[in-house]
Amino acid sequence: MGDDSLFGVHGAALAVRSQRMGVLASNIANASTPGYKARDIDFARALAGAEAPGGSVDRAIDDATLYRVPLQPSQDGNTVDLSTEQTAFAENAVAYQTTLSFLNGRISQITRALKGE
């Protein structure tokens, strides 16, 4: 992924943010599941792995997916803190939209260049 110069880092960033949104949504969905262990993706680590020479997004995401350390573990073993997960989800959603905006701008530039504008 590191040699993709058309979209730069934004293509990998969008893929990582998309996967992170799924992980966070899974945490929220399992907030009351006994024994469920909350996970998260370390965005910076995943992006660095995806952008490294010979790196792949899927492998980088796997390497950067970690279990979240609970602030207050519950008695049933569930480590999901709903407010933490909702905040992380909202922040990730905003960052995802920002990355989409960068990509849309880049696609617009390329389209204008191809049209000769």
Side-chain angles (χ1 to χ4, degrees), residues 11-85:
L14 190 66
V16 172
R17 293 216 183 274
S18 176
Q19 288 292 322
R20 183 168 186 240
M21 196 162 309
V23 168
L24 294 171
S26 180
N27 290 346
I28 292 169
N30 286 289
S32 61
T33 303
Y36 184 82
K37 305 295 183 207
R39 297 178 305 142
D40 198 358
I41 295 173
D42 181 338
F43 177 79
R45 182 175 169 186
L47 190 58
E51 289 293 305
S56 79
V57 174
D58 292 334
R59 182 167 180 234
I61 290 171
D62 288 344
D63 291 345
T65 302
L66 309 166
Y67 288 100
R68 190 181 302 283
V69 177
L71 298 174
Q72 243 180 342
S74 65
Q75 289 183 340
D76 67 0
N78 186 307
T79 63
V80 175
D81 178 16
L82 197 53
S83 62
T84 300
E85 301 303 329

Side-chain angles (χ1 to χ4, degrees), residues 1-16 46-58 60:
M1 193 63 117
D3 62 349
D4 184 4
S5 61
L6 186 60
F7 296 114
V9 69
H10 300 298
L14 190 66
V16 172
L47 190 58
E51 289 293 305
S56 79
V57 174
D58 292 334

